[in-house]
Amino acid sequence: MNEAPGVMEQTREAVQRAARELGYQPNAAARALRSRSSRLIGCLFSDLENPLYTRLFNSLQDRLADEGFVTLITASAGKLDREKQAISIFAERGMDAIVIAPGHQQDPEIVQLLEKFPAPIFVLDRDIPIQADRLVFDHFAAMDLAVGHLAKLGHRSILPVFSHQNTRPGLMRHAAFDAAMRGAGLTPGARVEPETPNTPVFREVQAALSCDDRPTAMIVQGTHVLPSTLNALANLRLRVPEDISLIAVGDSALAEEHVPPITALRLDRSALVEEITARVLARIRGQATEVSEKVLGYQLMERASCRRSIA
Amino acid sequence: MNEAPGVMEQTREAVQRAARELGYQPNAAARALRSRSSRLIGCLFSDLENPLYTRLFNSLQDRLADEGFVTLITASAGKLDREKQAISIFAERGMDAIVIAPGHQQDPEIVQLLEKFPAPIFVLDRDIPIQADRLVFDHFAAMDLAVGHLAKLGHRSILPVFSHQNTRPGLMRHAAFDAAMRGAGLTPGARVEPETPNTPVFREVQAALSCDDRPTAMIVQGTHVLPSTLNALANLRLRVPEDISLIAVGDSALAEEHVPPITALRLDRSALVEEITARVLARIRGQATEVSEKVLGYQLMERASCRRSIA
DNA sequence: CTGAAAGCGCTAACAT
DNA sequence: ATGTTAGCGCTTTCAG
C-alpha cells in the first residue's frame, strides 16, 4: 500500500485496486498513533494580514504537501496568550515540526514553552533565545540598498515609516536605517513609527510632509502602512515619483500593481521556502545535527516610483 | 482528567496535580483513534487575501478553540485541483466538520467528493448542489441598499466594479445590481468586470471615467479592486466624495481607515461566526436533524464617501 | 517476499 | 465512585 520497497509489482497493484474498489481511506489518527508521527507541520505567525506570511504559508503548504505533510497555520494578531495557546496546541497535537515568527520574541513563558517543545522548531527572523534552526533577514543590507539607491538619486532627506514592534524586523530596521543614512553621508531626520504594521499612518505622514523643508523620499513598510501613505500622498496632491520618491519594504501585489509600480525590497520567497522545507524535512528525518542559522538578503526591485531629487 | 461528572473533587485534583508534576501531555492521535473524533475542523476558502475570509477564520479559530476544536485552513487560490486535494486531505485526516467556500461550485468532481464526505459540511455563500447546512448572503438586498442610497443622493449613473467569478457572489451581484438599478428607475450602463477579485482594475476604471458623461458614483468590490480603483481616482485627480461617490462591497480595514472613510456594505461577522459555530457544533453533537439554510443580510455602513450628485 | 501478532495511548463499557 | 478491560486501525517486528 505505502510504496514499500521489495513488494512484487503484481501484489502491489492488486492491493491498490482492491483498496480503490472498497473505497478504503487510511486513518490518519491510527497512523499517527502507531508511527509516532502526525505528518502535521504547524506555523505560528504574528499576522495573517501581512502578505509575506500569507504567501509564505501558501508556498509552504504546496511544498510540504508534496512530501505528504499537512500545514497548519495560526495567527496570533500579536496577542501573547494566543501565542502561548498555539504553542501548547501544537505540542498536544504532536506536530512533527513548527515554523514560528511570533509577535513576542523575549517573553519568558514563550521561551520556556519552546525550550521543552517536543519537536523541531524553525525560527523565522526572530531573536528568540533558544537553540533552533533559524533564518533571519538582512535588514542592514536592505536599508543600505534602499537608502543608497535614493542617495544616488540625490535625495538627502528621507522619511522612514516602519512600525516599532518589539521583534527583530522592527528593532533592526530603525537601527539599520540610521546606519545606512550615516553610511551615505546623510543625517536621519523625522520619522513615523506606527505601533504595529497594521496601524494607519495617514495623519502622521501628512504632518511629516507638510513642513517647509519636506522629505523628498520615503521608505515605507509594505502592509497597512503603504495604503495609508498612498492615501496621504493623494490627499496632499503629491505625485509619485514627480514630487516624492517611494520605496516599499517588503513586496506585495499592491506595490507591483500600483500605477506607477512601486520600487520594493523583496525577499526571494522561493529561496525562503526552500530553506525552510529543506531544514524542516532534514530535522524530521533526523539527518540534521548542527543547528543552522542562515541570513537571507533582500533584493531591490527597481520600478517606477523613484526619481532624481528635485530639491 | 477530562472533567467527567461524578468524580470526587479530591480525586480530580489529585489526578490533575500528578499530571502536571509528571508533565503529562495527552496524545491527540490516540484520543482521535479511540473516540472517533479528531476535534479538527477544516476550512476551505477560495482566497486568503480576501479580508472577509481572513477575519472569519480568525474569529472561527477563537470561537471553536473555546469548544476544544482546532481549526485548519486551506486556500485554493481558486485552483480546482487544490480544492479537490484539500477535500481529500480533510477526509483522510478525519475532520469532524468542514466549512467551505470554494472557487468552484458546480464542478462534478468536487460535488462528488462532497457528497461522500464522511463528516458534516457547512457551505458559505455557494450554490453547491448538495444537501448541507448553508448560509448565503443576500446580494439582492445589498445592492438595493447601495443603489438606493446613491439614487436618493441624486446619482443616476453608477459604475459597478465586481469580479465576474463563477460562484454565487459574482453571479448574483451583477444580476442584483441590474435589478436594483431598474428598481430605482435607473438604467445600468458601463461596467467593469475583473476576472477575479484580485485583478487590478486601474486601466479599466480610468477608461470608464474618462468619457464625457462619466458616472458620478461607483460600487466597488472590497479586495484588490478597491486599492486599484483608489489609485485610478487619485491619478485622474477625482476627489472622493466631491467629484465621485464610492461604496465598497464588503468592509475592510482599508475602507474604515481611508481618508475619507468609505461607505461599505458590511456583513455582521459575529452573527456569521455564531451561525457557523452553532450549526457545526450541533451537527457534530448529532443534535441537528433538518438541513439548515439561512440568509444573512448586509448592512450599509454610511461613512464619508458619498455625497449628493453634482450632475 | 509475504502473513501473523503485538501494541502505540487512549476512552467506552463494564464490573466492582 | 472507582478500577479493569478491550480495542480503535494502523505499522513494526518477527516468523515463515
Side-chain angles (χ1 to χ4, degrees):
Chain A
M1 194 70 250
N2 297 331
E3 309 292 320
V7 178
M8 270 172 67
E9 191 55 34
Q10 197 183 341
T11 318
R12 186 198 311 279
E13 272 181 27
V15 171
Q16 306 266 16
R17 181 156 26 78
R20 220 171 308 121
E21 276 165 19
L22 296 169
Y24 168 75
Q25 276 275 1
N27 177 319
R31 201 174 254 189
L33 181 58
R34 181 64 238 223
S35 65
R36 317 184 139 278
S37 151
S38 63
R39 302 197 77 76
L40 242 39
I41 289 174
C43 296
L44 167 59
F45 297 148
S46 51
D47 181 12
L48 255 187
E49 306 195 31
N50 184 330
L52 171 65
Y53 293 132
T54 318
R55 290 178 170 195
L56 176 61
F57 173 66
N58 262 313
S59 307
L60 272 179
Q61 201 170 243
D62 270 4
R63 190 68 184 66
L64 290 168
D66 295 343
E67 312 281 339
F69 290 87
V70 171
T71 313
L72 232 140
I73 193 170
T74 313
S76 61
K79 283 179 203 121
L80 183 62
D81 45 336
R82 287 186 65 175
E83 300 194 335
K84 288 189 287 200
Q85 193 199 12
I87 298 169
S88 304
I89 286 175
F90 284 164
E92 262 175 60
R93 293 276 169 169
M95 300 293 118
D96 285 354
I98 59 175
V99 178
I100 60 170
H104 296 261
Q105 60 177 20
Q106 302 286 351
D107 180 84
E109 278 194 74
I110 297 256
V111 171
Q112 204 203 339
L113 279 169
L114 292 174
E115 267 166 351
K116 61 178 187 197
F117 195 82
I121 299 174
F122 191 102
V123 176
L124 203 58
D125 203 29
R126 292 291 183 273
D127 292 317
I128 304 176
I130 56 169
Q131 282 271 324
D133 292 323
R134 193 178 307 250
L135 183 63
V136 296
F137 307 148
D138 193 342
H139 300 287
F140 276 87
M143 282 301 144
D144 274 340
L145 229 47
V147 170
H149 183 64
L150 292 170
K152 224 183 309 169
L153 291 170
H155 294 276
R156 304 193 50 77
S157 172
I158 304 171
L159 178 67
V161 190
F162 328 125
S163 72
H164 195 66
Q165 26 174 13
N166 272 323
T167 51
R168 201 186 127 90
L171 261 22
M172 297 285 267
R173 255 176 218 141
H174 284 96
F177 175 78
D178 290 349
M181 287 293 278
R182 281 192 294 271
L186 303 176
T187 319
R191 61 185 56 207
V192 174
E193 297 188 28
E195 281 274 325
T196 77
N198 294 334
T199 309
V201 294
F202 180 91
R203 206 174 299 275
E204 295 79 356
V205 167
Q206 182 125 338
L209 295 180
S210 296
C211 59
D212 281 343
D213 201 30
R214 68 162 175 79
T216 59
M218 300 178 67
I219 301 178
V220 174
Q221 192 153 5
T223 35
H224 284 198
V225 166
L226 183 57
S228 62
T229 294
L230 293 170
N231 187 194
L233 294 179
N235 214 263
L236 290 168
R237 303 266 150 169
L238 291 175
R239 287 160 309 177
V240 174
E242 292 83 349
D243 303 316
I244 192 161
S245 290
L246 194 58
I247 294 181
V249 179
D251 208 0
S252 62
L254 176 60
E256 291 182 74
E257 293 163 0
H258 191 264
V259 179
I262 297 168
T263 296
L265 286 166
R266 148 183 280 182
L267 288 165
D268 179 345
R269 188 154 38 96
S270 64
L272 185 57
V273 171
E274 272 321 306
E275 170 65 15
I276 297 176
T277 49
R279 270 287 128 189
V280 161
L281 292 174
R283 275 278 168 235
I284 289 174
R285 294 174 182 147
Q287 296 158 359
T289 46
E290 300 281 294
V291 162
S292 143
E293 310 220 347
K294 288 214 178 170
V295 177
L296 183 66
Y298 282 85
Q299 315 154 249
L300 186 71
M301 302 298 296
E302 292 190 33
R303 299 203 267 247
S305 65
C306 296
R307 177 173 291 194
R308 180 149 284 282
S309 171
I310 42 158
Chain B
M1 193 72 251
N2 296 331
E3 311 290 320
V7 178
M8 271 172 64
E9 191 56 34
Q10 196 183 341
T11 319
R12 186 199 309 280
E13 272 181 27
V15 171
Q16 305 267 14
R17 182 157 24 80
R20 220 170 309 120
E21 275 165 20
L22 295 169
Y24 169 75
Q25 276 276 0
N27 177 319
R31 204 172 252 191
L33 181 57
R34 180 63 240 224
S35 65
R36 311 179 146 281
S37 153
S38 62
R39 302 198 76 77
L40 243 38
I41 290 173
C43 297
L44 168 59
F45 297 148
S46 52
D47 182 11
L48 255 187
E49 306 195 31
N50 184 329
L52 171 65
Y53 293 133
T54 319
R55 290 177 170 196
L56 176 61
F57 172 66
N58 263 313
S59 307
L60 272 180
Q61 201 171 242
D62 270 5
R63 190 69 185 66
L64 290 168
D66 295 344
E67 312 281 339
F69 291 88
V70 171
T71 313
L72 230 142
I73 193 170
T74 313
S76 61
K79 284 178 203 121
L80 183 61
D81 45 338
R82 287 186 66 174
E83 300 194 335
K84 289 189 288 203
Q85 193 198 11
I87 297 169
S88 304
I89 286 176
F90 284 163
E92 262 176 58
R93 292 275 167 170
M95 300 293 117
D96 284 354
I98 59 175
V99 178
I100 60 170
H104 296 260
Q105 62 176 19
Q106 303 285 350
D107 180 86
E109 278 194 73
I110 297 256
V111 171
Q112 204 203 338
L113 280 169
L114 292 174
E115 267 166 353
K116 61 178 188 195
F117 194 82
I121 299 174
F122 190 102
V123 176
L124 202 57
D125 202 29
R126 292 290 183 273
D127 291 318
I128 304 176
I130 55 169
Q131 281 270 325
D133 293 322
R134 193 178 310 251
L135 183 62
V136 297
F137 307 147
D138 192 343
H139 301 287
F140 276 86
M143 281 301 144
D144 274 340
L145 229 46
V147 170
H149 182 64
L150 292 170
K152 224 183 310 168
L153 290 170
H155 294 276
R156 305 192 50 77
S157 171
I158 303 173
L159 177 67
V161 191
F162 327 125
S163 72
H164 197 66
Q165 25 174 14
N166 272 324
T167 50
R168 201 185 127 91
L171 261 23
M172 298 285 267
R173 257 177 216 140
H174 283 96
F177 175 79
D178 290 349
M181 287 293 279
R182 282 191 295 270
L186 303 175
T187 319
R191 59 186 57 209
V192 175
E193 296 188 30
E195 281 274 325
T196 77
N198 294 333
T199 308
V201 293
F202 180 90
R203 204 174 301 274
E204 295 79 356
V205 168
Q206 182 125 336
L209 296 181
S210 296
C211 59
D212 281 343
D213 202 28
R214 68 162 176 81
T216 60
M218 301 178 68
I219 301 178
V220 174
Q221 190 153 5
T223 36
H224 284 198
V225 166
L226 182 57
S228 62
T229 294
L230 293 171
N231 187 192
L233 295 180
N235 214 262
L236 290 168
R237 304 265 149 170
L238 290 175
R239 286 160 310 175
V240 174
E242 291 84 348
D243 303 318
I244 192 161
S245 289
L246 195 58
I247 294 182
V249 179
D251 207 0
S252 62
L254 177 60
E256 291 181 73
E257 293 162 1
H258 191 264
V259 180
I262 298 168
T263 296
L265 285 167
R266 149 183 280 183
L267 289 165
D268 180 346
R269 188 153 38 96
S270 63
L272 186 56
V273 171
E274 272 322 305
E275 170 65 15
I276 298 176
T277 49
R279 268 289 129 189
V280 162
L281 292 174
R283 274 278 168 233
I284 289 175
R285 294 174 182 146
Q287 296 158 357
T289 47
E290 299 282 293
V291 161
S292 143
E293 309 221 347
K294 288 212 177 169
V295 177
L296 183 66
Y298 283 84
Q299 314 153 249
L300 186 69
M301 302 298 297
E302 292 190 32
R303 298 201 268 247
S305 65
C306 296
R307 177 173 292 192
R308 181 149 284 285
S309 169
I310 43 160

